[in-house]
Amino acid sequence: MMLMAVQTAELREALERWFGFPTFRPSQEAIVRDVLDGRDVFALLPTGGGKSLCYQLPAVLTPGLTVVISPLIALMKDQVDALDTAGIGATALNSSLEWPELRRRLDRLERGEYKLLYVAPERLTLPGFADDLERWNVARFVVDEAHCISEWGHDFRPEYRRIAPLRERFPDVAFCAFTATATARVRDDVVAQLGLRRPAVHVASFDRANLAYRVLHSPRTVDALVKWLRARPDDEAGIVYAGSRANTEKLAGALCAAGIPALAYHAGLDSATRGKRQEAFIRDDVRVMCATIAFGMGIDKSNVRFVVHWDVPRSLEGYYQETGRAGRDGLPAECAWFFAYGDIARVERFVEEKPEGERAAARDQLERVKRYAYSNACRRRELLAYFGEIYPHERCENCDNCLQPRASFDATTDAQKLLSCIYRVRESHGYGVGIAHVIDVLIGAKTEKIDRWYHDRLSTYGIGKDRDRHAWRHLADELLRLGLIAQDAARHNVVSLTDAGRRALVERTPVVIREAVAPVTGRRGRTAAAPRVGDDEAYDRDLFAVLRALRREIAGERDVPPYVVFSDAVLRAMARDVPRSPAQLRAISGVGEKKLADFGARFLAAIAQSVD
Ligand code: ADP
Ligand code: ZN
């Protein structure tokens, strides 16, 4: 089906009119053109890259129905709400609909009143559905979250296998697959499983320039997390990922106790509770979601301002997907991993307990994660390298290693003290001890254990008086990182010298370590030196709060998520440019024709009232 060659000006005009955006994001225009040309398309864009627009714009520009296959009802609902609000006819069919509503939608489909139809893959094989599609004049099939078709992906959904047979039934209709999951294996598998025909392949850069990546090495305590959250504006919402159900509950409880509205989310909750909590987060009713990775794909919320990792991510790929949920609206967002050395030992042990067949792969994953955490180099460079992409700059100026490079210095003498102290303590004490006790001995503390075990008689007792506990703790972390000492998670984190550590002690090998990072401060504490993408802080925060409240009110009236009305980016632009007329409001990116007509007057009135 060859369609008209659409002019650039025409495309831009439609983009402006329906979505209110002045320009395409990288790759969007090329993809839109291939979709309009009726080609099969395979497009890989990072989360937040703007995939939906790539098929929604063609849908409004061409006759017929665009059928979007999507894995989750919640996702479909958000998309339909967003399209509705933008004045684009869209609907979804799913098993949760009551009969009268279903009938109404089917009638409108018969009359060709929608441009887009969202369905779950299960529906494709319902008796009669393909016949319905024949009548509805399908312009193209879009497979969203296309990696779900592959067993190699992290979200395999067997129902996705029902898509391929459609190809035989509709041989002339184009198939377009979209995903944010990157590995080459999954990519090839998707193309093969869907039977894409000479698809136009688009692989966008995976760089998310507006995301700041940090690995926080200061002690990981709930207190530190509370401080970090308090340092951020309290209208900013985000996710804290934890590795276990218990941790999500513990953290949510602690945050609530500290006055930060938080909820826990994990697979152990019944689906009604999960649904309610997800809704609360999406609607800006709760600030922090403490979640396991069960909280993920269904989250389309564009104003997630931070993603915190509390436990060790399973893989770098997983880390990238999870952090990718921050900052979809393109505004600056933080990805902070509260790193704890003890955790690595725990996960290592867990890996060693895996069945033989899975061990090698798991070890490899953990090794990559560990290298990332310990690295001194630009985080963005490393993350992109993981996906086979070479970041074109040496430094990104938006990660901890670029913003706060840490100096290295020679710590051979202190390392000798610490290593020999571990050695002495272990010699005298058959069961082994944790690092805290070793440090007590070094600084010459008087503790019950030191008394009981006569450790004040060791030659290393008090030889480290000149430094405080934190300095020794940091040195121990560095020696762990350098592999000179080891912690045994199976035995209460007992420390010991590794072979390399023993050699270093005997041969007095020079030991160079890095400075400790400054204590956690969150964003306000960052250095101002580096330019950051979209980091325009010059907006009226009070006005922003007023607009946000209005957005929430309108969202409530329409029963849609607030970011569907206007994104944070749009509200910030309003609070910066302070538009006083419909034309000025319309000039803001993200304010399209329909939204101006529906909401313009109320936003202008609110602006006038709060500025005058
Ligand atoms: P993805 O599905 O790839 O994660 P979305 O389609 O949800 O991304 O888009 C992410 C955000 O980017 C949305 O808030 C959307 O409105 C915005 N967006 C998409 N295209 C553009 C554009 N050309 N200009 C400005 N914002 C855009
Ligand atoms: Zn960097």
Side-chain angles (χ1 to χ4, degrees), residues 15 21 23-25 28 46-53 300 302 328-329 567 589:
L15 178 68
F21 299 138
T23 52
F24 285 105
R25 290 249 180 93
Q28 278 181 331
T47 308
K51 280 182 284 297
S52 32
L53 188 136
D300 243 1
S302 69
R328 279 178 191 234
D329 51 17
S567 72
S589 172

Side-chain angles (χ1 to χ4, degrees), residues 377-381 391 394-403:
C378 173
R379 306 260 181 228
R380 189 174 314 275
R381 246 188 114 73
Y391 186 61
E394 191 59 37
R395 293 146 51 91
C396 74
E397 303 302 353
N398 199 14
C399 74
D400 54 345
N401 286 337
C402 287
L403 291 172

Side-chain angles (χ1 to χ4, degrees), residues 194-357:
L194 285 175
L196 297 185
R197 288 186 303 229
R198 291 187 295 115
V201 175
H202 295 268
V203 180
S205 164
F206 262 60
D207 183 23
R208 301 281 311 279
N210 60 319
L211 302 190
Y213 300 102
R214 290 172 215 275
V215 180
L216 304 172
H217 284 264
S218 14
R220 183 195 59 182
T221 57
V222 174
D223 247 17
L225 177 61
V226 168
K227 262 203 205 121
W228 190 85
L229 290 169
R230 285 209 177 122
R232 312 185 61 78
D234 56 15
D235 55 7
E236 292 193 348
I239 305 170
V240 175
Y241 277 113
S244 66
R245 295 171 186 191
N247 273 356
T248 64
E249 302 276 2
K250 181 188 92 180
L251 289 171
L255 295 185
C256 287
I260 299 170
L263 284 171
Y265 186 106
H266 53 73
L269 299 167
D270 62 80
S271 75
T273 307
R274 281 205 311 264
K276 243 191 291 167
R277 292 188 178 182
Q278 174 165 333
E279 193 74 4
F281 182 66
I282 282 175
R283 305 223 161 176
D284 292 342
D285 291 338
V286 65
R287 192 174 160 211
V288 183
M289 193 67 123
C290 299
T292 61
I293 52 167
F295 190 63
M297 197 164 62
I299 320 307
D300 243 1
K301 184 180 167 76
S302 69
N303 57 343
V304 174
R305 291 267 71 84
F306 57 85
V307 170
V308 166
H309 277 75
W310 185 258
D311 291 305
V312 182
R314 297 145 306 146
S315 66
L316 225 43
E317 157 118 46
Y319 183 69
Y320 203 71
Q321 295 296 337
E322 286 137 31
T323 53
R325 296 183 184 123
R328 279 178 191 234
D329 51 17
L331 294 175
E334 288 281 327
C335 309
W337 175 7
F338 280 64
F339 183 83
Y341 280 88
D343 269 6
I344 292 277
R346 198 173 44 73
V347 179
E348 263 163 359
R349 192 177 126 230
F350 181 71
V351 165
E352 293 315 314
E353 282 166 3
K354 281 190 180 266
E356 181 79 40

